[in-house]
Amino acid sequence: MFKFTGKLLSLSAATLMVSSVLSSAASMDDLVKAAKAEGQLTTIALPHDWCGYGDVIAGFKAKYPEITVNELNPDAGSGDEVEAIKANKDNKGPQAPDVIDVGLSFGPTAKADGLIQPYKVSTWDSIPDSAKDADGYWTGDYYGVLSFLVNKDLVKESPADWADLLKPEFANTVALAGDPRASNQAIQAVYAAGLSGGAAAGEAAGTAGLDFFKKLNAAGNFVPVIGKPATLAQGQTPILVTWDYNALAGRDTLKGNPPVDVVVPKTGVVAGVYVQAISAYAPHPNAAKLWMEYLYSDEGQIGWLKGYCHPIRFNDLAKSGKLPADVMAKLPPAEAYTAAVFPTLDEQGKSKEAITKNWDAVVGANVK
């Protein structure tokens, strides 16, 4: 379906790296030269306060000052990014994005629609197979896991796992960060609870998660309020189930008033991943590849980590001792993430259907 038309590297045969991993310093040097010759990279939907992207972009600029970074619509959503590619197929000007950073479901659909091109970065082998397209059309870049944000003024001993939430000492404390009939974050929380109980991935875990929340609600521990750091601070939702990067950002926002704990559960560690891809119509394909190489380098990955988003190569960096101590001191322990699972789109779809359709009948809590 995809073919390349001379926009790609023409400096030497070593630079024709479509769907293959950079294998030598020489080929990397050629890529840098070709990217510098293009002189520009156009990104889209990268707010500087999201996942440390401000510093990541600054790091790329510092390393390659010859390449101007043109930032389109930082507040756009994943759907907007895909539409920007469609709208600019024949446009080589500044409104045509070279790269996109989108939610997982948008990677396969953009591939099927012929909107992205394959490229495997040089660190490809250290990226989990479950978080990348086998042919290199899209690659997971960072993720969060479901965690417990705990108000330590009101909860003296933090829960360590999902099953702990059923204990009587957590009466009227546990809330979700969304409505599980509509919010992906809340749906994934229900799914994670199901996996924690030993259910198989997919529909079974969704059904088991509903049973867990039925018990949680019957015990009087579930608070049917969409929780936020503000409701946690006010005591309305003392334990909030939310993505870890939101929990950590909330901790910073609260500034110790009240003191909080961020706990990654021991089991049912479900990761929500974003993916990176290069437009099939990228006006600057080599700059796009160089951007990808930077993002998946140790430096780029640690840049995301500083913004509280776990880079896709996190476990690999931990194993090789490359995680900065000062950054890790602000995060849950690295070993908490070794059990992280990345649900496939099929698993997500089946569990979502089970949860959204049956929440009212099984759990009966009107979350709002």
Side-chain angles (χ1 to χ4, degrees):
M1 184 173 207
F2 288 85
K3 61 180 180 180
F4 295 90
T5 59
K7 289 192 298 184
L8 304 173
L9 301 180
S10 58
L11 296 178
S12 73
T15 63
L16 294 176
M17 296 170 292
V18 178
S19 244
S20 63
V21 178
L22 279 169
S23 58
S24 69
S27 57
M28 185 63 185
D29 287 344
D30 286 343
L31 177 61
V32 171
K33 290 176 185 175
K36 288 180 178 179
E38 290 173 349
Q40 183 169 307
L41 171 75
T42 298
T43 65
I44 185 171
L46 302 183
H48 285 203
D49 59 354
W50 172 261
C51 289
Y53 255 121
D55 287 342
V56 170
I57 293 169
F60 180 79
K61 287 179 177 178
K63 191 164 188 174
Y64 305 109
E66 303 87 351
I67 301 173
T68 299
V69 180
N70 172 36
E71 300 179 54
L72 301 176
N73 195 1
D75 297 321
S78 296
D80 299 320
E81 297 179 63
V82 173
E83 288 304 314
I85 292 179
K86 292 180 180 178
N88 290 281
K89 287 182 178 180
D90 300 316
N91 180 9
K92 303 307 175 189
Q95 294 305 307
D98 292 306
V99 289
I100 55 173
D101 180 342
V102 293
L104 174 62
S105 65
F106 290 88
T109 56
K111 174 185 176 180
D113 291 342
L115 299 176
I116 52 180
Q117 61 177 268
Y119 182 69
K120 294 183 179 181
V121 292
S122 56
T123 53
W124 180 258
D125 290 344
S126 64
I127 299 167
D129 289 342
S130 58
K132 62 189 179 187
D133 176 64
D135 297 318
Y137 282 89
W138 52 263
T139 310
D141 44 16
Y142 52 81
Y143 63 92
V145 301
L146 272 309
S147 67
F148 307 147
L149 179 62
V150 183
N151 180 329
K152 294 304 290 179
D153 275 349
L154 300 175
V155 180
K156 300 308 177 186
E157 185 174 347
S158 298
D161 208 352
W162 292 95
D164 292 338
L165 299 177
L166 293 168
K167 293 179 178 178
E169 58 260 40
F170 298 129
N172 297 307
T173 62
V174 184
L176 295 170
D179 180 349
R181 294 163 295 190
S183 161
N184 180 62
Q185 184 172 200
I187 291 166
Q188 293 301 314
V190 177
Y191 179 71
L195 282 181
S196 177
E203 182 181 358
T207 300
L210 288 172
D211 290 339
F212 176 87
F213 274 87
K214 178 182 180 179
K215 294 175 184 176
L216 195 70
N217 192 43
N221 291 12
F222 184 60
V223 182
V225 169
I226 295 176
K228 301 175 183 177
T231 61
L232 180 134
Q234 293 159 6
Q236 189 178 12
T237 60
I239 300 175
L240 177 58
V241 183
T242 184
W243 294 119
D244 59 345
Y245 50 80
N246 288 335
L248 293 163
R251 176 195 65 187
D252 290 356
T253 299
L254 293 172
K255 297 179 180 178
N257 185 25
V260 300
D261 196 7
V262 178
V263 179
V264 174
K266 291 180 179 179
T267 60
V269 185
V270 169
V273 66
Y274 280 75
V275 302
Q276 196 83 204
I278 301 174
S279 168
Y281 304 93
H284 314 102
N286 299 302
K289 291 186 178 71
L290 189 61
W291 169 248
M292 295 277 282
E293 290 292 340
Y294 180 76
L295 293 180
Y296 292 93
S297 69
D298 294 353
E299 181 180 350
Q301 295 277 288
I302 290 169
W304 278 325
L305 189 63
K306 290 178 180 178
Y308 297 149
C309 290
H310 272 66
I312 203 67
R313 294 181 52 233
F314 179 81
N315 288 341
D316 177 60
L317 293 171
K319 195 183 303 181
S320 57
K322 293 180 179 178
L323 297 173
D326 60 331
V327 177
M328 291 308 299
K330 300 177 182 179
L331 298 164
E335 54 267 24
Y337 292 82
T338 57
V341 295
F342 298 85
T344 66
L345 288 173
D346 181 63
E347 290 166 353
Q348 288 186 42
K350 289 177 178 176
S351 63
K352 177 181 178 180
E353 184 174 11
I355 292 165
T356 56
K357 285 187 175 180
N358 298 303
W359 175 268
D360 287 334
V362 175
V363 182
N366 185 25
V367 180
K368 56 184 180 180

